[in-house]
Amino acid sequence: MTAQILDGRAIAEKIKSDIAKKVQLRIKNNLCVPGLSVILVGSNPASQTYVNHKRKACEAVGIISNVYLLPENVAQNALEKLIDNLNADDNVHGILLQLPLPKHIQTDELLERIISKKDVDGFHPYNLGRLVQKRPLLRPCTSYGVMTLLNATGETLAGKHAVIVGASNIVGRPMALELLLAQCTVTVCHRATQHLSQHIKAADILISATGHHGLIQSEWIKPGAIVIDVGFSRLSNGKITGDIEFDTAKKRAGWITPVPGGVGPMTVATLLQNTIMAAELSD
């Protein structure tokens, strides 16, 4: 068996093409051009790379993008003031606070300070609450991007057993909500989970989001399973990899995402979708 590859880059390009058409239609109809403001604190190389990808993606589809670069030692109240100003700016439809933030910053308070209709990351308690209640509006980008990938397989998701490894607020928890919405049976594994391999062996859908390469062994994968690797690691030899060893896992899986080129492009594309939706909410 050799898995079919879920090409996140190709699917993301189709989404971006559709978004570009929506932006042009808005302009034709004399509606405002969607605007996204990104707040980047410090000089984390991975965060800088992500923000650069988001900026280029915005430019490609016609979304106005502004990046606010702030020093590592920025004060909490300075960030609060910036968010308040962006909340009040009618030309800003989406606000993204690039995570992670420095340890002295109270991240949850800032995420909640962004008004819910501009929360294009989908992390505001209101937007997460709507997802819990099966009435999603602005949805967390990575988990919703994964759902787009899963739907691209053409497989029936309802009734499948989905196992998520990793329970973070950014990926694992919203991912569980998305899969429940799709009528999957969901198991969430975390650092206190016992007998991890047994849970993984039962997974029709395996989603790994730990950032720890090698934690999951390829021989644990159920033959024919859909494998979504959200992890991102750089090995000592400089190679970028996911949580799972791709070359061995693809010999057991039915579908698999590469790293890079799988989930990452989908996260950015979903952010653009959310920004368009946020602009529509302001019309």
Side-chain angles (χ1 to χ4, degrees):
M1 176 184 295
T2 299
Q4 297 184 71
I5 307 301
L6 277 168
D7 187 345
R9 287 196 179 103
I11 297 170
E13 286 303 316
K14 174 62 169 62
I15 292 172
K16 288 192 284 187
S17 175
D18 292 342
I19 291 170
K21 292 174 184 175
K22 287 185 177 181
V23 172
Q24 289 305 310
L25 184 60
R26 288 183 65 84
I27 294 171
K28 182 179 179 181
N29 292 333
N30 294 315
L31 295 171
C32 59
V33 178
L36 172 67
S37 290
V38 179
I39 302 171
L40 174 60
V41 179
S43 56
N44 181 296
S47 292
Q48 289 177 330
T49 299
Y50 294 148
V51 168
N52 192 43
H53 286 324
K54 291 165 185 174
R55 180 185 57 77
K56 289 181 178 178
C58 284
E59 290 176 356
V61 301
I63 291 174
I64 298 171
S65 174
N66 290 305
V67 179
Y68 293 84
L69 302 173
L70 302 174
E72 186 87 16
N73 62 351
V74 66
Q76 179 87 15
N77 61 358
L79 283 168
E80 291 172 353
K81 183 177 180 180
L82 174 57
I83 289 171
D84 290 345
N85 289 339
L86 296 174
N87 281 336
D89 188 339
D90 291 338
N91 294 316
V92 175
H93 304 102
I95 303 170
L96 187 148
L97 187 61
Q98 182 65 43
L99 303 179
L101 293 171
K103 291 182 179 180
H104 71 279
I105 298 296
Q106 297 177 46
T107 300
D108 289 343
E109 289 188 9
L110 293 179
L111 292 174
E112 193 165 354
R113 200 175 189 95
I114 298 169
I115 58 175
S116 61
K117 70 178 183 178
K118 295 190 179 188
D119 167 41
V120 289
D121 245 347
F123 293 148
H124 190 284
Y126 173 79
N127 286 320
L128 284 172
R130 286 193 64 117
L131 184 56
V132 169
Q133 294 180 336
K134 300 185 288 187
R135 299 186 303 127
L137 196 59
L138 293 170
R139 300 153 88 149
C141 297
T142 298
S143 53
Y144 192 40
V146 168
M147 294 309 300
T148 304
L149 285 170
L150 290 174
N151 287 323
T153 66
E155 302 270 356
T156 299
L157 303 182
K160 281 188 164 49
H161 182 195
V163 174
I164 304 164
V165 185
S168 72
N169 288 347
I170 295 174
V171 181
R173 292 169 190 266
M175 191 75 254
L177 295 173
E178 289 284 3
L179 289 163
L180 284 171
L181 193 61
Q183 296 185 303
C184 294
T185 299
V186 182
T187 298
V188 180
C189 300
H190 44 77
R191 66 184 60 192
T193 296
Q194 299 182 30
H195 311 299
L196 177 63
S197 63
Q198 297 306 310
H199 293 291
I200 291 171
K201 288 176 181 178
D204 302 310
I205 301 170
L206 171 63
I207 299 171
S208 183
T210 71
H212 296 289
H213 179 69
L215 178 66
I216 295 173
Q217 302 300 308
S218 295
E219 58 264 28
W220 299 348
I221 295 170
K222 182 178 180 179
I226 303 172
V227 177
I228 307 290
D229 195 340
V230 189
F232 188 92
S233 302
R234 190 179 297 274
L235 303 180
S236 57
N237 61 6
K239 179 185 176 183
I240 293 173
T241 184
D243 289 349
I244 302 166
E245 181 58 49
F246 179 81
D247 289 339
T248 52
K250 72 179 182 181
K251 296 176 182 178
R252 294 182 64 86
W255 295 86
I256 192 169
T257 56
V259 179
V263 175
M266 296 303 302
T267 299
V268 176
T270 306
L271 170 66
L272 302 181
Q273 288 180 312
N274 278 352
T275 303
I276 286 284
M277 180 182 290
E280 292 169 349
L281 292 172
S282 74
D283 290 341

